[in-house]
Amino acid sequence: MNLNRLTPLIIALAGIVVAAADDVRPGATKQFTFTQSRIFPGTVRDVTVFIPAQYDGKKPACVYVKTDGFNPREKTLLETMIATKEMPVTVGVFVRPGELPAPMKGTLGRRNRCFEYDSVNDNNVRFLTEELLPFVAKEFNLNLSTDGNDRCMSGGSSGGIAAFTAAWNRPEAFSRVYAASGSWVAFRGGHEFPTMVRKFEAKPIRAFLTTATRDMENAAGDWFLLDQEMDKALKFSGYDYQFRVIDGRHVQGYIEHWQEAMAYLWKGWPERVKAGPSAPRAQEILIPGEGWQLVAEGFKSTRGPACNASGEVFFADTSNNKIHRIGLDEKVSEFVADAGQAHCVTIGADGTLFAISEKSGKLMRYDAAGKGSVVMDGILGHSILARPDGSLYVTTNDDKKPNNGGSVWLIKEGKKKLVDSGIKFATGMAYRPDQWLLSVVEGHSKWVYSYQINDNGTLANKERFFHLYVADWDDDAGAECVCYSVEGRQFIATRSGVQISADDGPTQVILPVPDRARVTGVALGGKDKDTLFAFCGNKIWRRKVQHHAMGAFTPWTKVSGTKL
């Protein structure tokens, strides 16, 4: 008797009753040991590949990656759901975490599971996309999709957070996630995920999460509580997700909810998974449907941008020794051909462009035609900021004092005056639209200093005030540049993207750029002064926002408190 032809057919599988279609057909499995990783050098791991009977190689197959290795029950469920067309034709890759074998007998190897799965960096997703999946495709002559919309990843416990982390770091590589009792706890930074979900612009991820009423609890945290934190964070930022609380213990119900999870994750395919609206504070800045667009590329080191009264944005390409202008048509043109290795520019109230150099020690003035003259010599400046009264602030750094060599200088009436020192590494500066508070970025920490500006330009009431997000794998925020909007929000260029702070200090919104590059410069400008520009070394990105540029040309403007 051909059981696959019985309609309807009910099969019992591991205590679960599963409805099977007429044409459920068994797929093939292949096993191998993978030892060729450069991302996790020296590791050994078992891998099982499931190839569905419906696979013909004519078009790229979807991909299902399962952490912690092969589960025969999932093979049967894949066969069933592919047959019922609740899932597309999908190749399964079941991969164990790596182990670094001990060089002698009788002792423990180095277990890599926590290192690979609980870390919130991109090592594991890079291992999958750059090493394992290309190997599987080549080894078994498979046509596998590389589009994240066609890829799903699942797992339980540490394997669950690993699945979400892969999508979080590379949504273009994985956009569908099933995580049972995900370890959003303090093993290797996972407890920060609820906060990251709330602060980062929402990503195109669809997720199905579960937790158990008597879940695990240990030194890293309480899974039941922290899984609920993830639920609330995803809801807060408008993600497309489902969350289930299951009566039981750790990873309870993984198989029982597998079909429901897959049906939800793959619903509407090949329709693309879309990002949600993001958190409320982000919605006050972003415009729906307005994402990042590439302005130009091919530079060496874009830094120190500034906007003029008409909305044109000027910036230094330090390594190329040039100053460029972004016109109101968003075209980039050369403004100064030999810029004396300018590191930062600023625009005075009268439209004069000033530039400072860490190499030449010259503070330069440029007229509208790009003709330069020396204002001052002998000041190795990192950043420069023009004030409405015609004075300038300049930051400098003493390489002989790596922990406190940063200083702030006031340039006024042809003289320089030291107004602060002892900053670890002083980078960008900006003042608030009401003109009485100055921000100075400390590039080698997670802080932006705040000062009160006295009537004579000196500084008082110094505080390490603005608290920046630092990625788990970074030692500092790498903040380089800062600007304010007329509306009173502060935009800071960092390793993690553009961070936007509340007036009372904490970062509320983080906007990564499309290629996840470090942002070295940030400015508002454009025809209507409502375009946010992010400078990333060799590329410049832009997007329309609800906030507007300000500068020395802007009149005093009242600032209101930021909502929590």
Side-chain angles (χ1 to χ4, degrees):
M1 178 185 296
N2 184 352
L3 296 179
N4 287 338
R5 304 306 302 169
L6 293 180
T7 306
L9 174 67
I10 303 298
I11 60 172
L13 177 64
I16 316 159
V17 178
V18 182
D22 306 6
D23 54 350
V24 173
R25 292 185 284 160
T29 56
K30 312 284 185 180
Q31 290 86 28
F32 65 96
T33 300
F34 189 71
T35 61
Q36 300 177 25
S37 179
R38 293 182 180 179
I39 294 170
F40 300 119
T43 55
V44 176
R45 72 194 69 227
D46 294 330
V47 181
T48 300
V49 178
F50 162 74
I51 305 169
Q54 293 86 346
Y55 172 79
D56 61 13
K58 292 179 181 178
K59 61 181 180 179
C62 293
V63 179
Y64 170 77
V65 173
K66 169 61 167 53
T67 59
D68 284 316
F70 183 58
N71 185 334
R73 293 175 295 178
E74 286 178 64
K75 172 182 179 292
T76 306
L77 291 170
L78 277 164
E79 290 165 345
T80 301
M81 293 194 75
I82 291 170
T84 61
K85 302 190 185 317
E86 293 172 281
M87 286 180 67
V89 175
T90 304
V91 171
V93 180
F94 299 78
V95 54
R96 297 284 302 169
E99 178 175 314
L100 187 65
M104 73 286 292
K105 294 182 179 180
T107 190
L108 185 69
R110 190 187 73 195
R111 298 181 297 159
N112 254 37
R113 185 173 184 265
C114 179
F115 177 60
E116 294 178 12
Y117 285 6
D118 291 301
S119 296
V120 297
N121 58 39
D122 64 355
N123 285 347
N124 195 45
V125 69
R126 287 179 51 237
F127 163 74
L128 294 171
T129 59
E130 297 173 19
E131 296 183 337
L132 185 63
L133 292 178
F135 179 89
V136 167
K138 183 177 180 181
E139 182 74 9
F140 301 107
N141 192 29
L142 295 172
N143 184 7
L144 301 182
S145 176
T146 59
D147 185 344
N149 196 59
D150 300 337
R151 286 171 164 178
C152 176
M153 191 166 172
S154 81
S157 190
S158 294
I161 191 176
F164 190 88
T165 301
W168 177 262
N169 285 310
R170 295 287 191 276
E172 73 277 11
F174 289 94
S175 63
R176 305 169 195 271
V177 175
Y178 175 29
S181 293
S183 298
W184 323 109
V185 295
F187 281 134
R188 295 179 179 269
H191 61 297
E192 294 286 350
F193 250 122
T195 302
M196 291 192 288
V197 167
R198 289 172 182 267
K199 290 187 176 183
F200 275 82
E201 181 179 5
K203 306 185 180 191
I205 299 170
R206 181 180 294 164
F208 190 98
L209 309 182
T210 70
T211 192
T213 53
R214 298 182 299 282
D215 219 307
M216 188 180 291
E217 185 175 356
N218 62 22
D222 183 322
W223 269 249
F224 182 51
L225 292 178
L226 285 160
D227 285 0
Q228 292 177 86
E229 280 289 322
M230 273 296 285
D231 165 39
K232 295 188 72 176
L234 291 165
K235 182 179 180 180
F236 183 78
S237 290
Y239 275 80
D240 180 359
Y241 82 106
Q242 292 288 310
F243 181 70
R244 298 283 182 270
V245 176
I246 299 166
D247 184 33
R249 298 188 179 278
H250 192 50
V251 198
Q252 184 75 39
Y254 174 81
I255 283 293
E256 290 82 355
H257 286 79
W258 194 94
Q259 284 179 289
E260 181 189 6
M262 291 302 126
Y264 177 76
L265 294 175
W266 290 101
K267 68 177 181 179
W269 181 90
E271 229 175 76
R272 301 198 71 80
V273 173
K274 295 180 175 63
S278 297
R281 299 294 78 81
Q283 292 180 40
E284 295 170 356
I285 293 163
L286 303 177
I287 297 173
E290 289 283 352
W292 291 108
Q293 302 292 325
L294 186 64
V295 176
E297 58 184 328
F299 307 98
K300 287 189 176 180
S301 180
T302 56
R303 294 181 182 275
C307 175
N308 68 13
S310 65
E312 295 175 314
V313 174
F314 296 78
F315 65 94
D317 187 1
T318 304
S319 299
N320 270 331
N321 196 30
K322 297 182 185 300
I323 295 173
H324 294 283
R325 169 172 44 202
I326 304 175
L328 301 185
D329 59 359
E330 296 182 346
K331 297 289 192 295
V332 179
S333 61
E334 185 179 282
F335 181 65
V336 178
D338 183 356
Q341 296 178 297
H343 193 269
C344 182
V345 303
T346 191
I347 312 292
D350 63 356
T352 300
L353 184 144
F354 297 91
I356 195 75
S357 170
E358 288 185 311
K359 302 294 184 183
S360 72
K362 295 183 187 299
L363 194 167
M364 299 292 295
R365 174 193 292 114
Y366 293 94
D367 63 18
K371 183 179 178 180
S373 58
V374 178
V375 176
M376 183 177 291
D377 209 342
I379 182 165
L380 300 172
H382 187 96
S383 184
I384 187 169
L385 178 67
R387 299 181 65 217
D389 66 0
S391 63
L392 302 161
Y393 286 120
V394 172
T395 57
T396 64
N397 293 287
D398 186 346
D399 292 340
K400 296 178 182 177
K401 299 177 180 178
N403 293 318
N404 64 352
S407 299
V408 184
W409 298 80
L410 174 66
I411 313 297
K412 191 173 184 180
E413 298 174 349
K415 298 179 182 179
K416 65 178 182 179
K417 179 182 177 64
L418 182 66
V419 290
D420 189 52
S421 60
I423 301 170
K424 187 176 287 188
F425 188 75
T427 57
M429 296 174 289
Y431 57 81
R432 227 168 59 167
D434 51 11
Q435 301 177 5
W436 73 278
L437 286 173
L438 177 72
S439 293
V440 178
V441 177
E442 188 172 60
H444 292 173
S445 77
K446 61 184 177 184
W447 298 105
V448 176
Y449 281 93
S450 175
Y451 302 82
Q452 180 177 336
I453 302 172
N454 297 322
D455 290 342
N456 63 359
T458 59
L459 303 176
N461 300 322
K462 173 183 180 180
E463 293 285 359
R464 255 182 166 185
F465 191 78
F466 295 96
H467 184 279
L468 300 175
Y469 166 78
V470 179
D472 183 69
W473 55 90
D474 287 330
D475 295 324
D476 56 58
E480 177 65 25
C481 178
V482 59
C483 73
Y484 265 100
S485 68
V486 172
E487 291 79 5
R489 299 303 296 274
Q490 187 174 234
F491 296 71
I492 306 112
T494 72
R495 299 186 199 279
S496 301
V498 178
Q499 299 196 35
I500 304 167
S501 61
D503 73 283
D504 58 350
T507 290
Q508 289 186 322
V509 180
I510 305 173
L511 308 177
V513 292
D515 58 1
R516 296 172 294 275
R518 177 183 181 179
V519 181
T520 54
V522 61
L524 288 156
K527 181 171 64 72
D528 298 315
K529 297 192 183 70
D530 62 351
T531 300
L532 177 65
F533 292 92
F535 298 79
C536 305
N538 68 326
K539 294 180 181 178
I540 305 171
W541 301 91
R542 66 161 175 85
R543 69 190 302 175
K544 290 278 190 179
V545 292
Q546 298 181 56
H547 283 237
H548 299 81
M550 61 155 285
F553 53 84
T554 308
W556 184 95
T557 305
K558 176 185 175 181
V559 173
S560 300
T562 311
K563 295 177 183 177
L564 295 177

